[in-house]
Amino acid sequence: MPAKARHLFIQSVTLRAPGGDVRLYFANAKQRDEAWTQIVRGWYSPRLVAIKSRMSAFTASLPKHGYVRSSQWIPIAQEFAALQATMPPIPPKQVLEDDQYSFLHATIEFVQSPTAWLKASRDRYVQNALLQHEHLFDTVESKPLSPKQREACVVDEDNNLILAGAGSGKTSTVIGRVAFLVQSGQARPDEILLLAYGNAAAVEMRERLEKRLGIKGVTAETFHALGRHIVEKVENSKASVSPLASDENLKAKLVDLEFQRLQREDSDYRHLLLTYFEQWLYPARNPFDFKSLGDYYQFLNDNDVRTLKGEKVKGFGECDIANFLFKNGVEYRYESRFDTPEQAKSRGPYHPDFFLPDYGVYIEHFGIDEQGNTAPYIDRKKYHDDMAWKRNVHKLAGTTLVETFHHQKQQGTLLAGLENELCKAGVQLNPLPPEAVLETLREVGAISAFSKILTQMIGLLKAANLNSEEQASVANRSAQVGAALKLLTPLFEAYQQQLKSDTQVDFDDMVNIATTYVEEGKFEIPWKFIIVDEFQDIAKSRAQLVQKLREKKGGVSLFCVGDDWQSIYRFTGSDIGYTSSFSQRFGPTFTCELDKTFRFNSKIGEVASRFITQNPKQLVKTVISHESAPAPTVSLVRTSIDAADARLLIAERIAHIAAPNSSVYLLARFTHDLPDKDELYRLKGRFPTLRFLTDTIHRSKGKEADYVVLLGLTKGKYGLPSEIVTHPLIEALLPEREAFPHAEERRLFYVALTRAKHRVYLPCDMRKCSPFVQELVKNEYPLDLDEFATTSEQLHALEANCPVCKEGHLTARTNGKTGRVFMGCTNYPRCGHTENGCTKCNAPMEKVGRFRQCVDVSCGWWIPICPASGGEMSYKGEHKFWGCSHYRSDDPESCRHKEYGRIGEPSPRVRQTI
């Protein structure tokens, strides 16, 4: 644009030209300004004509119909940017005619706000689509679709993620989406691919489309069926599916037979196997990684950690030592009593870890690292004092003590170090022949268990569909995984050879081969729209097939419906990351939350939603219940009665409050916690107005009932959460485990809660209750605690934690010989802690400051604790002082702490309603 300037006696206008600046001079400012205006108008005139022409062509090219997807928007956005770069600056208003000025101003504003146009275009499309197809959405299902469901159906981004909470109408949304695409003319039925997780779901949706809406020709299949369809189309022949694909027992038998053959006939394989078991007989974890001694004991119990002689031991290091001694023909006794004059009466009997009777040698395995640190839940000073005491006992007794350490186990030098020390002590090693060791491993079930693990690995390895680089990465993940893959390789090859010789494939082959055919361009893809149901359960190989279909076809819209809160199939290879990181994996995404549930009431929703969102990695969603409840509808039944009696008690209550023909869903994490057929028959006979159903939580997904009774609410291996430890070899082939503790088990609990419409019942023995129930109680979730009466012991069970292992609970036990009642830890025999109960009522005692106080508020008894030794203080009336229970008149080392006068008393406990 020309520039105006004022000089000493004259005015000027400077024009920028290709050959250089041209300056015009004027006598006064008026002449200069008039000239400048004419020049500017002349400069703008051809440019405005060109802009009008370009804008006319540009606006004509913009989409007038349909939803502008992000992939379509990219070139449009580039055009906007190119136009923006050509726009001249806006001159002063008086320079141009009013219509010219308005046009230029509006045009510049338009090209500078491309996203505003995009939003307006999309909004206009959505509103028109909703209005034009209102009747469809009102009638496509038995009930009109909700506003969110309708929005999900019409938006047509490249990638669409529909987060459908429990009971929010997921299937109705899928049906509505297909119906809308067909009715709006955006797709023919044969251009739509609908993928379901299970065959029943695929059949159901196909029938709903055909019978209710008359839409025929949609490809509604499972992933396996789709894979088979693609393979057969490319190969122009029927694919024969091996019975190994569906018969796990047959597959396991094939693998086991080959596994046994290799053990018999291949000495190198036998050596590899024995070397593997020498280090990884059990799924070991570092004891330092547990949060408490009780957690560690629970892990040992759940994994039934035993020696090759069948002994339960208190740690993995001790297990390795015992097995080493056994395999080398050294007789040993585990934790036999050692009598010593150094034994103080305040200390329990001394039981060294191992005694070798043929040599008089003792072995102690000390749980310290190279810096002398103990596990975080162990008192370091006390532990080192005990170590010093044990060393002194053997020094005074003149016995040989061999020491091993936790850090040797962690560094893989434990057995080599032990062998060296034993040889120094004169112990003769006579290794058992390999076959004898293998036979022992067979007797304890280790061989058969490992065979099952290897069978699982074959399936997971195929489902993971790893390329060579990924396979190498898995093998290098740990020494154990690398060793196991060497053992697996000949079994995998034998399995594949069996399929080849039978000219058959398994389900994983169908998906993987289909993916390869699509990638190589051998399959002509007919689908413009791909819809995936239960997307939260998708595994890598299936996601790869979907991605390849989109890449090769081009212009495909992906519509995925799922709920990350209900992702519960990681053990089959499902990867929640495809849902939680959807846009990162698939590209630009429209996310729609179906925020209204038509199933459970607001109080069930309050408990369930708050519980599941404790994991910050779960996607944040708002779930609004169609039915509002004024009071808690999740009822905690605290009882120690037999499980069947508890179910009967709850059934009586439901029969009293429920409408006739109400459904009662008995759910459990494990099948063995469900009532058997006889009990179910009796319940149905006694309560004819109720319909009783049973299922595991996994099988209950997608189902509902009026009332839910959640069973098996205990802790440990077969509790909820289940503490079953995924074998490291299986873990290596599964999607990465989430960092949040028990993330998938929490989702299972959520799924169980959200099957109910009206009420959920949680029967639980509080002395051994599920950590999830503990969380609900301790964090004051809105539970109904008053629907059933309970006992004082049940009411106060959570307050009676074991002071040693921290995870067990103290419960009343009776000495079989003396009849004396005492409190023992529920983690016995791993945790041997015992203490006296309340001398007034036999209830557990809880430490409160320097007192042990009865947990039963109606009793209120308390005992002072000795600050020197931790013993109990009692008042010696004849001497008028308080003395410690650890005092022994004949033992000068015993506690001699005394106190005179008033000790005080603890604060009174708050009475709770029973």
Side-chain angles (χ1 to χ4, degrees):
M1 184 178 294
K4 295 187 288 185
R6 179 176 179 276
H7 305 283
L8 185 61
F9 298 110
I10 58 174
Q11 308 289 328
S12 71
V13 174
T14 302
L15 306 177
R16 302 191 187 285
D21 291 351
V22 176
R23 182 173 292 176
L24 305 177
Y25 295 97
F26 300 90
N28 55 56
K30 181 180 179 183
Q31 292 176 338
R32 180 202 65 189
D33 290 345
E34 288 176 352
W36 180 86
T37 300
Q38 294 301 317
I39 294 169
V40 169
R41 283 178 178 171
W43 185 86
Y44 268 97
S45 181
R47 285 170 175 78
L48 288 175
V49 172
I51 289 171
K52 283 183 179 180
S53 176
R54 284 199 300 272
M55 289 304 298
S56 176
F58 177 62
T59 54
S61 70
L62 291 175
K64 302 296 187 298
H65 307 286
Y67 186 91
V68 180
R69 299 177 186 170
S70 292
S71 58
Q72 298 168 323
W73 171 242
I74 292 172
I76 296 174
Q78 291 171 344
E79 284 291 325
F80 266 101
L83 282 169
Q84 188 175 338
T86 64
M87 290 295 115
I90 296 178
K93 195 168 184 178
Q94 67 275 11
V95 170
L96 300 176
E97 300 293 337
D98 287 347
D99 60 333
Q100 291 178 320
Y101 183 87
S102 298
F103 166 74
L104 182 59
H105 188 276
T107 300
I108 290 175
E109 188 175 76
F110 175 74
V111 298
Q112 287 181 340
S113 308
T115 55
W117 176 87
L118 177 65
K119 183 179 184 303
S121 172
R122 288 175 170 178
D123 289 346
R124 185 169 56 252
Y125 163 80
V126 169
Q127 292 306 315
N128 288 340
L130 292 175
L131 188 63
Q132 291 173 16
H133 300 279
E134 182 177 10
H135 179 69
L136 170 68
F137 296 133
D138 283 342
T139 60
V140 68
E141 289 283 88
S142 57
K143 294 180 181 179
L145 298 188
S146 71
K148 281 290 186 180
Q149 287 176 308
R150 297 175 189 224
E151 181 184 16
C153 290
V154 303
V155 172
D156 187 32
E157 180 58 278
D158 293 297
N159 304 289
N160 305 271
L161 177 62
I162 314 304
L163 296 173
S168 62
K170 168 182 66 68
T171 303
S172 295
T173 306
V174 170
I175 298 298
R177 170 71 169 174
V178 174
F180 168 73
L181 290 174
V182 173
Q183 188 178 93
S184 65
Q186 295 184 52
R188 301 189 310 270
D190 62 347
E191 293 176 319
I192 300 172
L193 172 62
L194 175 52
L195 292 167
Y197 191 76
N199 188 57
V203 170
E204 178 195 353
M205 285 192 276
R206 190 184 306 121
E207 289 180 348
R208 284 169 75 165
L209 288 169
E210 293 179 356
K211 294 181 179 179
R212 183 176 176 84
L213 303 174
I215 298 176
K216 298 181 179 180
V218 172
T219 303
E221 301 287 1
T222 65
F223 277 91
H224 292 148
L226 172 66
R228 184 174 187 169
H229 168 76
I230 293 172
V231 170
E232 290 179 346
K233 198 80 171 176
V234 172
E235 297 180 352
N236 197 29
S237 64
K238 285 287 183 182
S240 177
V241 181
S242 170
L244 295 169
S246 55
D247 191 335
E248 286 297 323
N249 290 332
L250 186 63
K251 181 179 178 180
K253 183 178 180 181
L254 172 70
V255 174
D256 191 58
L257 287 173
E258 180 63 15
F259 188 39
Q260 297 296 341
R261 185 193 70 78
L262 289 167
Q263 293 172 52
R264 290 192 309 270
E265 301 176 9
D266 190 329
S267 59
D268 290 338
Y269 191 87
R270 190 161 56 240
H271 175 72
L272 281 174
L273 183 61
L274 287 171
T275 302
Y276 177 88
F277 276 121
E278 186 174 272
Q279 299 182 66
W280 301 295
L281 180 58
Y282 291 103
R285 277 178 60 188
N286 187 343
F288 282 42
D289 291 341
F290 292 88
K291 66 179 182 180
S292 70
L293 185 60
D295 266 351
Y296 184 41
Y297 286 158
Q298 188 72 59
F299 182 88
L300 297 175
N301 281 328
D302 289 343
N303 290 280
D304 197 24
V305 175
R306 296 174 182 267
T307 68
L308 292 176
K309 288 170 62 174
E311 303 144 318
K312 278 192 173 183
V313 290
K314 293 181 179 177
F316 293 110
E318 293 178 7
C319 188
D320 287 352
I321 293 169
N323 291 340
F324 176 84
L325 296 172
F326 173 79
K327 288 189 289 186
N328 284 283
V330 179
E331 183 186 349
Y332 68 86
R333 295 174 190 167
Y334 179 65
E335 290 199 332
S336 61
R337 180 168 176 148
F338 184 106
D339 292 318
T340 171
E342 297 301 303
Q343 184 69 58
K345 291 185 179 179
S346 59
R347 177 193 288 273
Y350 175 38
H351 294 273
D353 292 335
F354 296 94
F355 172 52
L356 312 185
D358 292 340
Y359 303 96
V361 171
Y362 293 85
I363 303 173
E364 283 284 9
H365 183 69
F366 293 125
I368 59 173
D369 63 18
E370 287 184 292
Q371 288 72 45
N373 297 315
T374 59
Y377 46 83
I378 299 295
D379 185 318
R380 187 182 191 276
K381 182 180 183 306
K382 184 177 183 301
Y383 193 86
H384 277 273
D385 288 345
D386 284 343
M387 288 173 59
W389 183 85
K390 292 173 182 178
R391 287 165 173 163
N392 190 52
V393 164
H394 289 286
K395 180 180 179 181
L396 294 175
T399 50
T400 300
L401 175 64
V402 171
E403 298 181 9
T404 60
F405 300 92
H406 162 75
H407 60 79
Q408 292 176 305
K409 164 71 175 170
Q410 295 307 115
Q411 294 166 359
T413 62
L414 173 63
L415 300 184
L418 175 64
E419 180 176 356
N420 183 54
E421 292 300 315
L422 290 178
C423 289
K424 287 181 184 178
V427 177
Q428 296 293 317
L429 303 182
N430 300 296
L432 298 177
E435 187 50 48
V437 177
L438 279 175
E439 186 56 37
T440 302
L441 289 168
R442 291 188 190 101
E443 289 173 1
V444 300
I447 296 293
S448 59
F450 192 57
S451 178
K452 292 175 183 177
I453 293 293
L454 293 170
T455 302
Q456 281 183 269
M457 288 180 72
I458 289 175
L460 289 171
L461 198 59
K462 298 188 74 172
N465 196 24
L466 304 175
N467 57 39
S468 56
E469 185 177 322
E470 290 169 328
Q471 288 180 26
S473 175
V474 170
N476 293 330
R477 193 167 297 176
S478 73
Q480 181 180 8
V481 173
L485 288 176
K486 289 179 182 177
L487 292 167
L488 180 67
T489 298
L491 302 177
F492 186 89
E493 292 171 351
Y495 175 77
Q496 288 297 97
Q497 183 57 44
Q498 184 67 48
L499 293 176
K500 185 177 180 181
S501 62
D502 294 338
T503 61
Q504 295 176 325
V505 294
D506 62 15
F507 293 134
D508 293 312
D509 282 332
M510 287 191 289
V511 173
N512 295 338
I513 295 171
T515 302
T516 300
Y517 284 160
V518 170
E519 187 173 19
E520 293 174 349
K522 295 180 179 179
F523 175 72
E524 186 175 344
I525 304 166
W527 306 296
K528 292 165 52 180
F529 294 88
I530 299 177
I531 300 172
V532 185
D533 188 25
E534 299 287 5
F535 185 77
Q536 76 279 346
D537 294 324
I538 199 165
K540 178 189 173 188
S541 58
R542 300 177 183 189
Q544 286 177 326
L545 177 55
V546 170
Q547 288 169 322
K548 294 304 178 186
L549 287 169
R550 293 175 72 240
E551 289 172 11
K552 285 297 178 179
K553 175 70 173 178
V556 173
S557 173
L558 181 62
F559 185 91
C560 299
V561 186
D563 181 10
D564 67 303
W565 291 7
Q566 299 184 75
S567 178
I568 57 175
Y569 288 103
R570 177 177 177 267
F571 64 93
T572 66
S574 297
D575 188 350
I576 192 175
Y578 282 104
T579 302
S580 58
S581 303
F582 187 88
S583 60
Q584 291 94 314
R585 301 201 186 200
F586 290 93
T589 299
F590 166 72
T591 302
C592 180
E593 295 179 18
L594 304 186
D595 56 3
K596 189 170 186 178
T597 178
F598 300 94
R599 181 185 299 155
F600 50 84
N601 60 50
S602 58
K603 288 300 182 182
I604 294 175
E606 186 178 345
V607 173
S609 296
R610 178 180 163 191
F611 180 81
I612 195 66
T613 52
Q614 295 306 300
N615 180 356
K617 292 298 184 181
Q618 299 289 172
L619 297 178
V620 177
K621 298 189 286 289
T622 300
V623 180
I624 303 168
S625 295
H626 182 68
E627 179 187 343
S628 179
T633 52
V634 178
S635 184
L636 179 60
V637 187
R638 296 169 288 187
T639 180
S640 60
I641 63 175
D642 180 77
D645 292 336
R647 291 191 283 268
L648 181 61
L649 181 70
I650 295 169
E652 287 176 342
R653 173 62 179 165
I654 294 174
H656 179 70
I657 63 173
N661 202 38
S662 291
S663 53
V664 181
Y665 214 166
L666 300 161
L667 296 179
R669 174 69 171 81
F670 296 99
T671 305
H672 65 254
D673 285 319
L674 295 170
D676 59 25
K677 291 181 180 179
D678 291 340
E679 183 187 342
L680 200 59
Y681 179 79
R682 290 193 298 271
L683 285 172
K684 290 177 179 178
R686 184 159 178 176
F687 306 103
T689 62
L690 300 177
R691 292 182 292 114
F692 291 93
L693 312 164
T694 64
D695 249 332
T696 63
I697 302 174
H698 281 100
R699 291 199 302 261
S700 75
K701 200 153 153 305
K703 303 174 186 177
E704 63 183 26
D706 295 305
Y707 299 87
V708 162
V709 183
L710 183 51
L711 309 173
L713 291 174
T714 185
K715 60 183 177 181
K717 186 175 184 178
Y718 295 109
L720 182 61
S722 168
E723 297 287 354
I724 291 176
V725 178
T726 304
H727 197 285
L729 304 180
I730 300 300
E731 189 69 40
L733 297 175
L734 291 175
E736 184 178 359
R737 180 177 292 276
E738 297 158 86
F740 196 81
H742 300 301
E744 185 153 299
E745 295 289 313
R746 291 183 80 87
R747 293 193 287 269
L748 265 178
F749 193 68
Y750 172 83
V751 167
L753 293 174
T754 55
R755 299 310 94 193
K757 295 180 182 178
H758 305 311
R759 289 188 79 82
V760 178
Y761 290 93
L762 308 176
C764 186
D765 185 342
M766 301 303 289
R767 298 171 302 174
K768 49 185 177 183
C769 73
S770 158
F772 289 165
V773 173
Q774 292 186 42
E775 180 178 333
L776 298 183
V777 173
K778 291 179 178 178
N779 294 340
E780 299 182 347
Y781 279 68
L783 304 177
D784 188 342
L785 301 176
D786 302 319
E787 190 169 2
F788 295 85
T790 188
T791 65
S792 175
E793 182 181 40
Q794 287 291 308
L795 189 65
H796 299 295
L798 296 185
E799 302 165 32
N801 272 30
C802 173
V804 175
C805 74
K806 307 299 183 186
E807 292 298 315
H809 294 286
L810 298 181
T811 185
R813 301 183 188 278
T814 303
N815 187 304
K817 295 180 179 179
T818 66
R820 182 178 69 87
V821 176
F822 64 95
M823 307 308 296
C825 179
T826 52
N827 273 334
Y828 178 83
R830 303 280 186 192
C831 180
H833 176 72
T834 62
E835 61 182 53
N836 295 327
C838 176
T839 56
K840 299 294 184 183
C841 69
N842 284 330
M845 303 282 282
E846 180 186 24
K847 186 177 180 182
V848 180
R850 70 156 302 180
F851 300 92
R852 292 183 68 234
Q853 188 176 11
C854 181
V855 299
D856 187 347
V857 68
S858 64
C859 173
W861 187 249
W862 52 267
I863 300 171
I865 298 173
C866 173
S869 69
E872 296 180 358
M873 300 292 286
S874 59
Y875 189 69
K876 313 298 181 184
E878 67 275 22
H879 302 295
K880 297 185 179 179
F881 65 79
W882 295 81
C884 178
S885 60
H886 288 170
Y887 169 77
R888 299 289 183 274
S889 60
D890 59 347
D891 184 358
E893 299 296 323
S894 64
C895 183
R896 279 165 158 63
H897 178 75
K898 298 178 184 178
E899 294 186 37
Y900 295 89
R902 180 176 172 79
I903 285 183
E905 61 184 69
S907 301
R909 297 178 64 87
V910 178
R911 179 179 292 275
Q912 299 183 44
T913 303
I914 299 179

